[in-house]
Amino acid sequence: MRVTTSLVSPLVCLALLWGSCGGVAAESPQSSRELESSAPLVWDGHNDVPEQLRERRKDVLEGFDFNDSRASGMMTDLPRLRAGNVGAQFWSVYVSADLPEPQAVQATLEQIDVMKRLIARHPAEMQFCTDTACVEKAWKSRKIASLIGMEGGHSIGGSLGVLRQMYSLGARYMTLTHFKNNAWADSATDAPAHDGLTPFGIKVVKEMQRLGMLVDLAHVSEPTMRDVLALGGPPPIVSHSNARAINHHARNVSDDTLKAIGAAGGIVMVNFYPPYVVEAARQWSAARDAEVARAKALNRGDPDAEKAAVAAWDKAKPMPRGSIKDVADHIDHIAKLIGADHVGLGGDLDGVEATVQGMEDVSTYPVLFAELKQRGWTQANLAKLSSGNMLRVMKAAEVYAAAHRTDVPLESPTTF
């Protein structure tokens, strides 16, 4: 494995405050308590609790208990975050790319608002953060540093002014696209329209860099990734994607682009959604799409029969979910290819309907670290994977922004 074997730095030991600077035992620990005590502190790149609050509760927090969300089927709550040693979380303010852009902007503002209100309800456990100094302070206070990431460039409505205001409200990364292209960047899962970034898209990225907002390459096409990397600047992130060499999903990152991201100092944060992790699940997903189309064609005008046909297929052919070992395979592949300094965790929890077996909620990170320890990962490299790499990349963005503080903001004409 091409991993770094340097000693644990004082900064990394800070990230282990809730665990220890010792190692996970070579054999699997016998209890979850043992796993928790030896696992490093996690900074996860992508969790969709805000989306759940919008879809399930219309952003109404009255009556919502974040100390126990199991009954509602959510993957995240405070006790499970603690059990998983999650010490920092990017909460994703996702809104559908199908929304007209003005509505997407409003919905994003509402998602930021509801997440801030949720954090404020739990001051003893959570701390809203916009920089690494706050993250480190939260760790010292044994609080969960809570940051905001925007999922999809449609959330700025084609406006650099809106981008700047989102930054002012606390957004510290933006995923450039979601499942569809927008007017200035191509998505990985849409027909190419721009061959990467348009001139305005280049302005968006440069303005993000000037502000200190991380450029997130999850969901974007490889030409878009290459255009971003050609601009230079601070390291990019890929907040919740995997290795295409293992699973050929368009959402995953090819080896050539992984190497370019590593050379740029960036980080690829591995997620837990089976169709992105397990090739058999990707194939299953394609077969299910075909079955949905078939059921629709055979039952035109009878939506109940169409729904029943798909349900019967799902029951007969459940999705192959894979396991923690499959997630570890992606982490290993990226680390071997570009080094342990360039891989992280972005579970996509509460943003997907299923995960690999063994990683069903936010409490399960220690089991993943135990698996990696058995594969030969050192505690120093586990600390990099868990939070050290994310801390380094965000610090680099802050340093870049400080150096460009006097730069004039970029401008573009308004569209209406």
Side-chain angles (χ1 to χ4, degrees):
M1 178 185 298
R2 190 180 140 202
V3 292
T4 307
T5 56
S6 59
L7 296 176
V8 181
S9 68
L11 182 60
V12 170
C13 273
L14 174 64
L16 300 177
L17 280 174
W18 293 354
S20 70
C21 285
V24 178
E27 62 277 5
S28 295
Q30 297 302 306
S31 70
S32 60
R33 183 177 298 277
E34 289 172 336
L35 284 171
E36 291 159 23
S37 69
S38 60
L41 198 64
V42 171
W43 186 341
D44 181 272
H46 195 91
N47 182 296
D48 280 290
V49 159
E51 177 190 0
Q52 295 297 320
L53 294 174
R54 187 172 187 87
E55 291 188 354
R56 295 169 182 267
R57 306 188 59 83
K58 304 299 182 186
D59 290 339
V60 175
L61 293 180
E62 183 178 359
F64 176 67
D65 184 5
F66 202 39
N67 284 300
D68 185 5
S69 68
R70 292 177 187 269
S72 63
M74 289 177 61
M75 301 173 179
T76 309
D77 55 31
L78 289 171
R80 285 181 285 173
L81 285 164
R82 289 296 194 192
N85 282 333
V86 178
Q89 180 67 68
F90 269 111
W91 303 104
S92 170
V93 289
Y94 159 78
V95 297
S96 174
D98 284 331
L99 285 174
E101 285 192 340
Q103 291 183 28
V105 172
Q106 176 181 334
T108 301
L109 292 171
E110 290 167 348
Q111 293 253 276
I112 291 173
D113 172 76
V114 75
M115 200 61 220
K116 284 185 172 181
R117 288 188 286 121
L118 181 64
I119 295 164
R121 281 184 163 219
H122 300 280
E125 294 89 5
M126 305 175 76
Q127 184 167 338
F128 178 66
C129 287
T130 59
D131 57 34
T132 54
C134 176
V135 171
E136 292 173 309
K137 181 179 178 181
W139 287 345
K140 289 178 180 178
S141 301
R142 297 178 62 81
K143 295 181 181 181
I144 300 165
S146 295
L147 305 95
I148 288 173
M150 298 164 61
E151 189 174 16
H154 55 290
S155 294
I156 64 169
S159 167
L160 295 176
V162 171
L163 173 68
R164 286 187 283 269
Q165 294 311 305
M166 294 296 188
Y167 178 85
S168 295
L169 290 171
R172 286 300 178 267
Y173 79 61
M174 183 171 74
T175 317
L176 299 185
T177 69
H178 198 248
F179 64 88
K180 292 171 63 175
N181 302 334
N182 55 42
W184 46 269
D186 279 347
S187 167
T189 48
D190 201 353
H194 314 299
D195 193 31
L197 291 174
T198 69
F200 179 74
I202 291 171
K203 277 192 172 185
V204 171
V205 172
K206 287 185 173 181
E207 190 67 353
M208 291 173 68
Q209 293 174 334
R210 185 190 70 83
L211 291 168
M213 183 184 286
L214 295 166
V215 178
D216 179 20
L217 302 180
H219 284 286
V220 309
S221 69
E222 294 242 329
T224 301
M225 292 184 187
R226 290 195 291 269
D227 283 353
V228 170
L229 292 165
L231 294 175
I237 68 168
V238 187
S239 66
H240 57 303
S241 298
N242 296 337
R244 195 177 294 184
I246 296 176
N247 179 312
H248 202 66
H249 200 289
R251 273 274 283 105
N252 291 338
V253 188
S254 73
D255 280 359
D256 285 346
T257 304
L258 283 173
K259 291 174 184 176
I261 291 169
I267 177 175
V268 179
M269 309 180 86
V270 170
N271 87 14
F272 310 151
Y273 182 46
Y276 303 157
V277 177
V278 183
E279 178 62 21
R282 184 179 80 92
Q283 297 289 339
W284 174 92
S285 182
R288 187 181 189 277
D289 287 346
E291 184 61 26
V292 168
R294 178 176 179 274
K296 185 178 183 67
L298 291 175
N299 297 282
R300 295 191 188 280
D302 191 347
D304 289 340
E306 177 186 338
K307 183 177 179 181
V310 173
W313 191 91
D314 286 342
K315 184 177 181 179
K317 299 180 180 180
M319 179 172 66
R321 289 175 56 197
S323 71
I324 287 173
K325 293 182 183 297
D326 294 295
V327 173
D329 287 345
H330 283 268
I331 294 169
D332 267 343
H333 179 84
I334 295 168
K336 289 175 182 177
L337 187 70
I338 61 175
D341 291 329
H342 305 289
V343 62
L345 301 170
D348 211 0
L349 296 172
D350 275 312
V352 294
E353 71 277 8
T355 63
V356 299
Q357 289 182 334
M359 302 212 71
E360 287 81 7
D361 61 39
V362 294
S363 72
T364 59
Y365 292 98
V367 185
L368 176 61
F369 292 125
E371 169 66 25
L372 291 169
K373 183 67 177 181
Q374 289 180 337
R375 296 181 179 212
W377 279 64
T378 66
Q379 191 70 17
N381 283 325
L382 290 175
K384 291 177 182 181
L385 167 73
S386 62
S387 58
N389 291 337
M390 187 67 246
L391 191 69
R392 170 185 60 79
V393 167
M394 191 164 176
K395 280 182 179 288
E398 292 168 356
V399 169
Y400 184 93
H404 292 267
R405 187 173 292 119
T406 59
D407 291 2
V408 176
L410 296 177
E411 294 184 319
S412 64
T414 55
T415 56
F416 63 90

